[in-house]
Amino acid sequence: MQIQVLKSKIHRVKVTGADLNYIGSITIDETLLEASNIIEGEKVAIVNINNGERFETYAIKGERNSGEITLNGPAARKVQKDDIIIIIAYATLEFEEAKTFKPWIIFPNEKDNSLT
């Protein structure tokens, strides 16, 4: 049997932009992607702390150490600049493997989305 478990989580980052005219996705600072073990193109769930919205999109790589968190395309309507969001990725694992799996969870600084 397989189950879905938390694989990666970027906990409480500030939205730096919303670009309605982009095709779609969420742009995430490359440093945050690497630290959370999320790869470009991976499906992610977004939870908006400010308004309760929950939706899915995919990750694209932003400039390293820029602090960028930009929602693109239709997802831009679900957030406003400076909203605080949580970014979550899940993995499907065998039940026994899932029992010992340890997710990558990071807690960036909410002021500038840095890891320091």
Side-chain angles (χ1 to χ4, degrees), residues 26-47:
I26 180 171
T27 305
I28 303 171
D29 177 325
E30 183 176 15
T31 303
L32 298 178
L33 286 176
E34 289 176 355
S36 63
N37 203 34
I38 296 173
I39 63 170
E40 192 164 26
E42 184 171 356
K43 178 180 175 180
V44 291
I46 309 298
V47 180

Side-chain angles (χ1 to χ4, degrees), residues 44-102:
V44 291
I46 309 298
V47 180
N48 188 329
I49 300 297
N50 295 79
N51 64 19
E53 289 281 356
R54 296 180 72 98
F55 55 94
E56 295 176 339
T57 188
Y58 61 92
I60 61 173
K61 190 184 314 180
E63 182 180 338
R64 181 179 292 282
N65 297 318
S66 65
E68 181 178 11
I69 301 290
T70 301
L71 277 297
N72 303 304
R77 294 209 183 269
K78 305 276 190 186
V79 301
Q80 293 184 23
K81 186 176 184 289
D82 296 328
D83 280 358
I84 301 298
I85 63 171
I86 299 170
I87 303 167
I88 305 164
Y90 298 95
T92 302
L93 301 176
E94 292 297 330
F95 184 76
E96 290 303 318
E97 180 184 10
K99 288 180 179 181
T100 58
F101 179 78
K102 301 292 183 222

Side-chain angles (χ1 to χ4, degrees), residues 1-17:
M1 171 177 42
Q2 294 183 325
I3 62 171
Q4 287 190 331
V5 297
L6 173 68
K7 179 189 82 71
S8 303
K9 180 175 171 183
I10 302 174
H11 190 75
R12 297 183 64 94
V13 288
K14 185 188 299 187
V15 173
T16 60

